[in-house]
Amino acid sequence: ATAFPVEKDLVVERSSFDRVIGAGGYVSVPTGSAPEAHATPVRKPVADAAFENAECIGCGACVAACPNGSAMLFTSAKINHLNALPQGAPERESRVLDMVGQMDDEGFGGCTLTGECATACPKGIPLFSISSMNREFLRAARKSG
């Protein structure tokens, strides 16, 4: 993948992942005292989906396995785990637009849903994470104009 320049044999420079995360992989946190632990209930299926995507370790196996050098599985895991939780709601739309935009700017290839990324993922990030991110992206793009 052009977004992972080779440094030496079997070593690539992966700071492009850091820049994708930096484009929107955060949540706004109000200052002051910590909120009550159960103040914002999260349904179990939503929490499970968030944790499943949060398991991504950013190893790059998905990019290496993809015939197109796409980072869609990585990016979707980072977007989906934050967007699933109520704490991620304030940046929900900007997060998906900014992170996908940064992924494109980094030179990762386009996704054609071959599924090699999910097969290679050591943490088992599911392929449907990509379609969830695509839905978020289309919704945010429609709203932004």
Side-chain angles (χ1 to χ4, degrees), residues 15-82:
S15 64
S16 55
F17 271 0
D18 296 333
R19 290 187 293 275
V20 170
I21 291 172
Y26 56 85
V27 295
S28 294
V29 179
T31 58
S33 62
E36 173 62 34
H38 298 290
T40 308
V42 178
R43 295 175 307 146
K44 179 149 176 45
V46 173
D48 289 347
F51 285 120
E52 182 176 47
N53 283 289
E55 289 188 71
C56 175
I57 58 175
C59 65
C62 54
V63 177
C66 178
N68 303 322
S70 177
M72 289 289 277
L73 191 68
F74 165 79
T75 305
S76 67
K78 298 303 180 186
I79 289 169
N80 290 330
H81 97 265
L82 293 172

Short mmCIF file of all heavy atoms in Angstrom, two decimals, residues 15-82:
data_model
loop_
_atom_site.label_atom_id
_atom_site.label_comp_id
_atom_site.label_asym_id
_atom_site.label_seq_id
_atom_site.Cartn_x
_atom_site.Cartn_y
_atom_site.Cartn_z
N SER A 15 2.53 5.55 10.16
CA SER A 15 1.99 6.76 10.79
C SER A 15 0.72 7.25 10.09
O SER A 15 -0.02 8.06 10.64
CB SER A 15 3.04 7.87 10.83
OG SER A 15 3.40 8.26 9.53
N SER A 16 0.45 6.73 8.90
CA SER A 16 -0.80 7.10 8.22
C SER A 16 -2.01 6.69 9.05
O SER A 16 -3.02 7.40 9.08
CB SER A 16 -0.87 6.49 6.82
OG SER A 16 -0.71 5.09 6.89
N PHE A 17 -1.91 5.57 9.77
CA PHE A 17 -3.00 5.16 10.68
C PHE A 17 -3.18 6.21 11.77
O PHE A 17 -4.30 6.53 12.15
CB PHE A 17 -2.69 3.81 11.32
CG PHE A 17 -3.16 2.61 10.54
CD1 PHE A 17 -3.82 2.72 9.33
CD2 PHE A 17 -2.95 1.34 11.04
CE1 PHE A 17 -4.25 1.60 8.64
CE2 PHE A 17 -3.39 0.22 10.37
CZ PHE A 17 -4.03 0.34 9.16
N ASP A 18 -2.09 6.73 12.29
CA ASP A 18 -2.17 7.75 13.34
C ASP A 18 -2.88 9.00 12.83
O ASP A 18 -3.66 9.62 13.54
CB ASP A 18 -0.78 8.13 13.86
CG ASP A 18 -0.07 6.97 14.53
OD1 ASP A 18 -0.77 6.07 15.06
OD2 ASP A 18 1.17 6.96 14.52
N ARG A 19 -2.60 9.36 11.59
CA ARG A 19 -3.24 10.55 11.02
C ARG A 19 -4.73 10.31 10.77
O ARG A 19 -5.54 11.22 10.93
CB ARG A 19 -2.51 10.98 9.75
CG ARG A 19 -1.13 11.56 10.05
CD ARG A 19 -0.46 12.14 8.81
NE ARG A 19 -0.12 11.15 7.80
CZ ARG A 19 1.00 10.43 7.79
NH1 ARG A 19 1.91 10.59 8.73
NH2 ARG A 19 1.23 9.57 6.81
N VAL A 20 -5.11 9.10 10.40
CA VAL A 20 -6.54 8.78 10.24
C VAL A 20 -7.24 8.90 11.58
O VAL A 20 -8.30 9.52 11.70
CB VAL A 20 -6.74 7.38 9.62
CG1 VAL A 20 -8.20 6.96 9.67
CG2 VAL A 20 -6.24 7.34 8.18
N ILE A 21 -6.64 8.34 12.62
CA ILE A 21 -7.24 8.43 13.96
C ILE A 21 -7.27 9.89 14.41
O ILE A 21 -8.26 10.35 14.98
CB ILE A 21 -6.47 7.56 14.97
CG1 ILE A 21 -6.68 6.09 14.65
CG2 ILE A 21 -6.90 7.86 16.40
CD1 ILE A 21 -5.83 5.14 15.45
N GLY A 22 -6.22 10.63 14.16
CA GLY A 22 -6.17 12.03 14.56
C GLY A 22 -7.23 12.89 13.90
O GLY A 22 -7.62 13.93 14.43
N ALA A 23 -7.74 12.44 12.75
CA ALA A 23 -8.77 13.20 12.04
C ALA A 23 -10.13 13.13 12.72
O ALA A 23 -11.01 13.92 12.42
CB ALA A 23 -8.89 12.71 10.60
N GLY A 24 -10.34 12.19 13.63
CA GLY A 24 -11.65 12.12 14.27
C GLY A 24 -11.80 11.04 15.31
O GLY A 24 -12.90 10.80 15.80
N GLY A 25 -10.75 10.36 15.67
CA GLY A 25 -10.84 9.26 16.63
C GLY A 25 -10.81 9.70 18.07
O GLY A 25 -9.95 9.30 18.84
N TYR A 26 -11.72 10.56 18.44
CA TYR A 26 -11.78 11.07 19.80
C TYR A 26 -13.24 11.37 20.15
O TYR A 26 -14.10 11.38 19.30
CB TYR A 26 -10.95 12.35 19.94
CG TYR A 26 -11.36 13.42 18.96
CD1 TYR A 26 -12.40 14.29 19.24
CD2 TYR A 26 -10.73 13.52 17.72
CE1 TYR A 26 -12.81 15.25 18.32
CE2 TYR A 26 -11.14 14.47 16.80
CZ TYR A 26 -12.17 15.33 17.09
OH TYR A 26 -12.57 16.27 16.18
N VAL A 27 -13.48 11.60 21.42
CA VAL A 27 -14.79 12.04 21.88
C VAL A 27 -14.59 13.31 22.70
O VAL A 27 -13.56 13.49 23.35
CB VAL A 27 -15.54 10.97 22.73
CG1 VAL A 27 -15.85 9.76 21.89
CG2 VAL A 27 -14.75 10.58 23.95
N SER A 28 -15.57 14.19 22.68
CA SER A 28 -15.52 15.40 23.50
C SER A 28 -15.81 15.01 24.94
O SER A 28 -16.74 14.26 25.21
CB SER A 28 -16.57 16.41 23.04
OG SER A 28 -16.27 16.87 21.77
N VAL A 29 -15.03 15.53 25.83
CA VAL A 29 -15.21 15.23 27.24
C VAL A 29 -15.38 16.55 27.97
O VAL A 29 -14.49 17.39 27.95
CB VAL A 29 -14.00 14.45 27.80
CG1 VAL A 29 -14.20 14.16 29.27
CG2 VAL A 29 -13.79 13.18 27.03
N PRO A 30 -16.53 16.75 28.60
CA PRO A 30 -16.71 17.98 29.36
C PRO A 30 -15.80 17.98 30.59
O PRO A 30 -15.54 16.94 31.18
CB PRO A 30 -18.18 17.96 29.76
CG PRO A 30 -18.58 16.53 29.69
CD PRO A 30 -17.69 15.87 28.67
N THR A 31 -15.31 19.15 30.95
CA THR A 31 -14.49 19.23 32.15
C THR A 31 -15.39 19.29 33.37
O THR A 31 -16.57 19.55 33.28
CB THR A 31 -13.59 20.49 32.10
OG1 THR A 31 -14.42 21.63 31.96
CG2 THR A 31 -12.61 20.39 30.95
N GLY A 32 -14.82 19.02 34.50
CA GLY A 32 -15.59 19.00 35.73
C GLY A 32 -15.57 17.62 36.34
O GLY A 32 -14.75 16.78 35.99
N SER A 33 -16.50 17.36 37.23
CA SER A 33 -16.51 16.07 37.91
C SER A 33 -16.99 14.96 36.97
O SER A 33 -17.68 15.21 35.99
CB SER A 33 -17.42 16.13 39.13
OG SER A 33 -18.74 16.42 38.73
N ALA A 34 -16.58 13.77 37.28
CA ALA A 34 -16.95 12.61 36.46
C ALA A 34 -18.45 12.34 36.59
O ALA A 34 -19.03 12.48 37.68
CB ALA A 34 -16.17 11.39 36.92
N PRO A 35 -19.12 11.96 35.49
CA PRO A 35 -20.55 11.66 35.57
C PRO A 35 -20.78 10.33 36.30
O PRO A 35 -19.88 9.49 36.38
CB PRO A 35 -20.97 11.56 34.12
CG PRO A 35 -19.74 11.23 33.37
CD PRO A 35 -18.61 11.85 34.14
N GLU A 36 -21.95 10.18 36.81
CA GLU A 36 -22.35 8.93 37.46
C GLU A 36 -22.17 7.79 36.46
O GLU A 36 -22.50 7.92 35.28
CB GLU A 36 -23.81 9.03 37.93
CG GLU A 36 -24.41 7.76 38.46
CD GLU A 36 -23.70 7.24 39.71
OE1 GLU A 36 -23.22 8.06 40.52
OE2 GLU A 36 -23.63 6.01 39.86
N ALA A 37 -21.63 6.66 36.92
CA ALA A 37 -21.31 5.53 36.04
C ALA A 37 -22.50 5.02 35.23
O ALA A 37 -22.35 4.59 34.10
CB ALA A 37 -20.71 4.39 36.85
N HIS A 38 -23.68 5.05 35.81
CA HIS A 38 -24.86 4.52 35.13
C HIS A 38 -25.78 5.63 34.61
O HIS A 38 -26.96 5.40 34.34
CB HIS A 38 -25.63 3.58 36.06
CG HIS A 38 -24.82 2.40 36.47
ND1 HIS A 38 -24.49 1.40 35.60
CD2 HIS A 38 -24.25 2.10 37.66
CE1 HIS A 38 -23.75 0.51 36.24
NE2 HIS A 38 -23.59 0.91 37.48
N ALA A 39 -25.24 6.84 34.45
CA ALA A 39 -26.06 7.97 34.02
C ALA A 39 -26.50 7.84 32.57
O ALA A 39 -27.55 8.34 32.19
CB ALA A 39 -25.30 9.28 34.22
N THR A 40 -25.71 7.17 31.75
CA THR A 40 -26.04 7.00 30.34
C THR A 40 -26.08 5.50 30.03
O THR A 40 -25.05 4.90 29.74
CB THR A 40 -24.99 7.68 29.44
OG1 THR A 40 -24.82 9.02 29.87
CG2 THR A 40 -25.41 7.65 28.00
N PRO A 41 -27.26 4.90 30.11
CA PRO A 41 -27.33 3.47 29.85
C PRO A 41 -27.08 3.16 28.37
O PRO A 41 -27.46 3.92 27.48
CB PRO A 41 -28.77 3.09 30.25
CG PRO A 41 -29.53 4.37 30.23
CD PRO A 41 -28.54 5.47 30.46
N VAL A 42 -26.40 2.07 28.13
CA VAL A 42 -26.12 1.60 26.78
C VAL A 42 -26.64 0.17 26.67
O VAL A 42 -26.29 -0.68 27.49
CB VAL A 42 -24.59 1.63 26.48
CG1 VAL A 42 -24.30 1.11 25.09
CG2 VAL A 42 -24.05 3.03 26.66
N ARG A 43 -27.49 -0.06 25.67
CA ARG A 43 -28.04 -1.40 25.49
C ARG A 43 -26.93 -2.40 25.17
O ARG A 43 -25.95 -2.05 24.52
CB ARG A 43 -29.08 -1.41 24.38
CG ARG A 43 -30.32 -0.58 24.71
CD ARG A 43 -31.28 -0.51 23.56
NE ARG A 43 -30.51 -0.06 22.39
CZ ARG A 43 -30.74 -0.44 21.14
NH1 ARG A 43 -31.72 -1.23 20.85
NH2 ARG A 43 -30.00 0.00 20.15
N LYS A 44 -27.08 -3.61 25.64
CA LYS A 44 -26.04 -4.63 25.48
C LYS A 44 -25.64 -4.86 24.03
O LYS A 44 -24.44 -4.91 23.74
CB LYS A 44 -26.46 -5.94 26.13
CG LYS A 44 -25.40 -7.03 25.95
CD LYS A 44 -25.38 -7.99 27.07
CE LYS A 44 -24.40 -9.12 26.89
NZ LYS A 44 -23.09 -8.81 26.43
N PRO A 45 -26.55 -4.98 23.07
CA PRO A 45 -26.10 -5.19 21.68
C PRO A 45 -25.26 -4.03 21.16
O PRO A 45 -24.31 -4.23 20.41
CB PRO A 45 -27.40 -5.32 20.88
CG PRO A 45 -28.46 -5.64 21.87
CD PRO A 45 -28.01 -5.06 23.18
N VAL A 46 -25.59 -2.82 21.57
CA VAL A 46 -24.82 -1.64 21.16
C VAL A 46 -23.43 -1.68 21.80
O VAL A 46 -22.42 -1.44 21.13
CB VAL A 46 -25.57 -0.34 21.52
CG1 VAL A 46 -24.71 0.88 21.26
CG2 VAL A 46 -26.88 -0.26 20.76
N ALA A 47 -23.39 -1.98 23.09
CA ALA A 47 -22.10 -2.08 23.79
C ALA A 47 -21.24 -3.19 23.19
O ALA A 47 -20.04 -3.01 22.99
CB ALA A 47 -22.32 -2.31 25.27
N ASP A 48 -21.86 -4.31 22.89
CA ASP A 48 -21.11 -5.42 22.28
C ASP A 48 -20.51 -5.03 20.93
O ASP A 48 -19.36 -5.34 20.64
CB ASP A 48 -22.00 -6.65 22.11
CG ASP A 48 -22.35 -7.33 23.43
OD1 ASP A 48 -21.71 -7.02 24.46
OD2 ASP A 48 -23.28 -8.16 23.43
N ALA A 49 -21.29 -4.33 20.12
CA ALA A 49 -20.79 -3.88 18.81
C ALA A 49 -19.65 -2.89 18.98
O ALA A 49 -18.65 -2.94 18.26
CB ALA A 49 -21.92 -3.27 17.99
N ALA A 50 -19.77 -1.99 19.94
CA ALA A 50 -18.71 -1.02 20.19
C ALA A 50 -17.43 -1.71 20.62
O ALA A 50 -16.34 -1.41 20.11
CB ALA A 50 -19.16 -0.01 21.25
N PHE A 51 -17.55 -2.65 21.54
CA PHE A 51 -16.36 -3.36 22.02
C PHE A 51 -15.76 -4.25 20.94
O PHE A 51 -14.54 -4.38 20.85
CB PHE A 51 -16.67 -4.17 23.27
CG PHE A 51 -16.80 -3.31 24.50
CD1 PHE A 51 -17.97 -3.29 25.22
CD2 PHE A 51 -15.75 -2.50 24.92
CE1 PHE A 51 -18.10 -2.49 26.34
CE2 PHE A 51 -15.87 -1.69 26.04
CZ PHE A 51 -17.04 -1.69 26.76
N GLU A 52 -16.59 -4.85 20.11
CA GLU A 52 -16.08 -5.68 19.02
C GLU A 52 -15.20 -4.86 18.08
O GLU A 52 -14.12 -5.29 17.68
CB GLU A 52 -17.26 -6.29 18.25
CG GLU A 52 -16.86 -7.22 17.13
CD GLU A 52 -18.06 -7.86 16.48
OE1 GLU A 52 -19.04 -7.14 16.16
OE2 GLU A 52 -18.03 -9.08 16.27
N ASN A 53 -15.63 -3.65 17.77
CA ASN A 53 -14.85 -2.78 16.90
C ASN A 53 -13.65 -2.17 17.62
O ASN A 53 -12.62 -1.92 17.02
CB ASN A 53 -15.72 -1.69 16.30
CG ASN A 53 -16.57 -2.21 15.17
OD1 ASN A 53 -16.06 -2.50 14.11
ND2 ASN A 53 -17.87 -2.34 15.41
N ALA A 54 -13.77 -1.95 18.92
CA ALA A 54 -12.69 -1.36 19.70
C ALA A 54 -11.50 -2.31 19.82
O ALA A 54 -10.40 -1.87 20.18
CB ALA A 54 -13.19 -0.96 21.09
N GLU A 55 -11.69 -3.57 19.50
CA GLU A 55 -10.59 -4.54 19.60
C GLU A 55 -9.52 -4.34 18.54
O GLU A 55 -8.44 -4.91 18.65
CB GLU A 55 -11.13 -5.96 19.52
CG GLU A 55 -11.89 -6.38 20.76
CD GLU A 55 -12.25 -7.84 20.73
OE1 GLU A 55 -11.33 -8.67 20.87
OE2 GLU A 55 -13.44 -8.14 20.53
N CYS A 56 -9.78 -3.53 17.53
CA CYS A 56 -8.79 -3.29 16.48
C CYS A 56 -7.50 -2.77 17.10
O CYS A 56 -7.51 -1.81 17.87
CB CYS A 56 -9.32 -2.27 15.46
SG CYS A 56 -8.12 -1.82 14.20
N ILE A 57 -6.39 -3.41 16.75
CA ILE A 57 -5.09 -3.03 17.31
C ILE A 57 -4.25 -2.22 16.32
O ILE A 57 -3.11 -1.86 16.63
CB ILE A 57 -4.31 -4.26 17.80
CG1 ILE A 57 -4.10 -5.27 16.66
CG2 ILE A 57 -5.01 -4.90 19.00
CD1 ILE A 57 -3.23 -6.47 17.02
N GLY A 58 -4.79 -1.94 15.15
CA GLY A 58 -4.06 -1.14 14.17
C GLY A 58 -2.81 -1.81 13.64
O GLY A 58 -1.83 -1.14 13.34
N CYS A 59 -2.85 -3.12 13.51
CA CYS A 59 -1.66 -3.86 13.09
C CYS A 59 -1.37 -3.72 11.59
O CYS A 59 -0.25 -3.91 11.16
CB CYS A 59 -1.80 -5.34 13.45
SG CYS A 59 -3.13 -6.20 12.56
N GLY A 60 -2.40 -3.40 10.80
CA GLY A 60 -2.22 -3.24 9.36
C GLY A 60 -2.39 -4.51 8.57
O GLY A 60 -2.21 -4.51 7.35
N ALA A 61 -2.74 -5.62 9.22
CA ALA A 61 -2.94 -6.88 8.50
C ALA A 61 -4.05 -6.74 7.46
O ALA A 61 -3.97 -7.33 6.38
CB ALA A 61 -3.26 -8.01 9.47
N CYS A 62 -5.06 -5.95 7.77
CA CYS A 62 -6.16 -5.75 6.84
C CYS A 62 -5.68 -5.08 5.55
O CYS A 62 -6.07 -5.46 4.44
CB CYS A 62 -7.29 -4.95 7.48
SG CYS A 62 -6.80 -3.37 8.19
N VAL A 63 -4.82 -4.09 5.69
CA VAL A 63 -4.28 -3.38 4.53
C VAL A 63 -3.38 -4.31 3.72
O VAL A 63 -3.44 -4.35 2.50
CB VAL A 63 -3.51 -2.12 4.96
CG1 VAL A 63 -2.88 -1.42 3.77
CG2 VAL A 63 -4.43 -1.16 5.70
N ALA A 64 -2.55 -5.08 4.43
CA ALA A 64 -1.63 -5.99 3.75
C ALA A 64 -2.37 -7.09 2.99
O ALA A 64 -1.95 -7.49 1.91
CB ALA A 64 -0.67 -6.61 4.76
N ALA A 65 -3.49 -7.55 3.53
CA ALA A 65 -4.24 -8.64 2.90
C ALA A 65 -5.11 -8.15 1.75
O ALA A 65 -5.45 -8.92 0.85
CB ALA A 65 -5.10 -9.34 3.93
N CYS A 66 -5.48 -6.88 1.76
CA CYS A 66 -6.39 -6.36 0.75
C CYS A 66 -5.68 -6.22 -0.59
O CYS A 66 -4.61 -5.61 -0.68
CB CYS A 66 -6.91 -4.98 1.19
SG CYS A 66 -8.01 -4.22 -0.03
N PRO A 67 -6.27 -6.77 -1.66
CA PRO A 67 -5.64 -6.62 -2.97
C PRO A 67 -5.57 -5.18 -3.45
O PRO A 67 -4.79 -4.85 -4.33
CB PRO A 67 -6.52 -7.47 -3.90
CG PRO A 67 -7.77 -7.73 -3.17
CD PRO A 67 -7.50 -7.55 -1.71
N ASN A 68 -6.36 -4.30 -2.84
CA ASN A 68 -6.37 -2.88 -3.21
C ASN A 68 -5.60 -2.00 -2.23
O ASN A 68 -5.54 -0.79 -2.42
CB ASN A 68 -7.81 -2.36 -3.29
CG ASN A 68 -8.65 -3.15 -4.25
OD1 ASN A 68 -8.18 -3.56 -5.31
ND2 ASN A 68 -9.89 -3.39 -3.89
N GLY A 69 -5.08 -2.58 -1.15
CA GLY A 69 -4.38 -1.79 -0.14
C GLY A 69 -5.32 -0.85 0.59
O GLY A 69 -4.94 0.25 0.99
N SER A 70 -6.55 -1.28 0.81
CA SER A 70 -7.56 -0.44 1.46
C SER A 70 -7.45 -0.51 2.98
O SER A 70 -7.09 -1.55 3.54
CB SER A 70 -8.96 -0.90 1.04
OG SER A 70 -9.94 -0.15 1.71
N ALA A 71 -7.77 0.58 3.63
CA ALA A 71 -7.78 0.64 5.10
C ALA A 71 -9.21 0.76 5.61
O ALA A 71 -9.44 1.27 6.71
CB ALA A 71 -6.94 1.80 5.59
N MET A 72 -10.17 0.30 4.84
CA MET A 72 -11.58 0.45 5.23
C MET A 72 -11.91 -0.31 6.52
O MET A 72 -12.67 0.20 7.33
CB MET A 72 -12.50 -0.03 4.10
CG MET A 72 -12.51 0.88 2.91
SD MET A 72 -13.35 2.44 3.19
CE MET A 72 -15.03 1.95 2.91
N LEU A 73 -11.36 -1.50 6.71
CA LEU A 73 -11.70 -2.25 7.92
C LEU A 73 -11.14 -1.53 9.15
O LEU A 73 -11.84 -1.38 10.15
CB LEU A 73 -11.18 -3.69 7.85
CG LEU A 73 -11.73 -4.60 8.95
CD1 LEU A 73 -13.23 -4.84 8.76
CD2 LEU A 73 -11.00 -5.93 8.97
N PHE A 74 -9.91 -1.08 9.08
CA PHE A 74 -9.31 -0.33 10.19
C PHE A 74 -10.13 0.93 10.48
O PHE A 74 -10.53 1.18 11.62
CB PHE A 74 -7.86 0.05 9.84
CG PHE A 74 -7.29 1.11 10.74
CD1 PHE A 74 -6.83 0.79 12.00
CD2 PHE A 74 -7.23 2.44 10.33
CE1 PHE A 74 -6.30 1.77 12.83
CE2 PHE A 74 -6.71 3.42 11.15
CZ PHE A 74 -6.24 3.08 12.42
N THR A 75 -10.37 1.73 9.45
CA THR A 75 -11.08 2.99 9.63
C THR A 75 -12.50 2.76 10.14
O THR A 75 -12.97 3.46 11.04
CB THR A 75 -11.10 3.79 8.31
OG1 THR A 75 -9.75 3.94 7.86
CG2 THR A 75 -11.73 5.15 8.48
N SER A 76 -13.18 1.75 9.60
CA SER A 76 -14.54 1.47 10.04
C SER A 76 -14.56 1.02 11.50
O SER A 76 -15.47 1.40 12.25
CB SER A 76 -15.22 0.44 9.14
OG SER A 76 -14.61 -0.84 9.26
N ALA A 77 -13.59 0.24 11.92
CA ALA A 77 -13.55 -0.20 13.31
C ALA A 77 -13.39 1.00 14.24
O ALA A 77 -14.08 1.10 15.27
CB ALA A 77 -12.41 -1.20 13.52
N LYS A 78 -12.51 1.92 13.88
CA LYS A 78 -12.29 3.10 14.72
C LYS A 78 -13.52 4.01 14.75
O LYS A 78 -13.88 4.54 15.80
CB LYS A 78 -11.06 3.89 14.23
CG LYS A 78 -9.77 3.10 14.28
CD LYS A 78 -9.49 2.60 15.68
CE LYS A 78 -8.21 1.81 15.75
NZ LYS A 78 -7.99 1.21 17.06
N ILE A 79 -14.16 4.18 13.61
CA ILE A 79 -15.37 5.01 13.55
C ILE A 79 -16.52 4.36 14.29
O ILE A 79 -17.19 4.99 15.11
CB ILE A 79 -15.75 5.30 12.09
CG1 ILE A 79 -14.74 6.26 11.46
CG2 ILE A 79 -17.17 5.85 11.98
CD1 ILE A 79 -14.87 6.41 9.96
N ASN A 80 -16.77 3.09 14.02
CA ASN A 80 -17.93 2.41 14.59
C ASN A 80 -17.86 2.27 16.10
O ASN A 80 -18.88 2.37 16.77
CB ASN A 80 -18.11 1.04 13.96
CG ASN A 80 -18.55 1.13 12.52
OD1 ASN A 80 -19.23 2.07 12.13
ND2 ASN A 80 -18.16 0.16 11.72
N HIS A 81 -16.67 2.04 16.64
CA HIS A 81 -16.64 1.86 18.09
C HIS A 81 -16.94 3.16 18.82
O HIS A 81 -17.56 3.16 19.87
CB HIS A 81 -15.32 1.20 18.55
CG HIS A 81 -14.26 2.10 19.05
ND1 HIS A 81 -13.25 2.56 18.26
CD2 HIS A 81 -14.03 2.61 20.29
CE1 HIS A 81 -12.44 3.31 18.97
NE2 HIS A 81 -12.90 3.37 20.20
N LEU A 82 -16.57 4.29 18.24
CA LEU A 82 -16.90 5.57 18.88
C LEU A 82 -18.33 6.01 18.58
O LEU A 82 -19.01 6.57 19.44
CB LEU A 82 -15.92 6.65 18.45
CG LEU A 82 -14.48 6.44 18.92
CD1 LEU A 82 -13.55 7.46 18.28
CD2 LEU A 82 -14.39 6.49 20.44
#
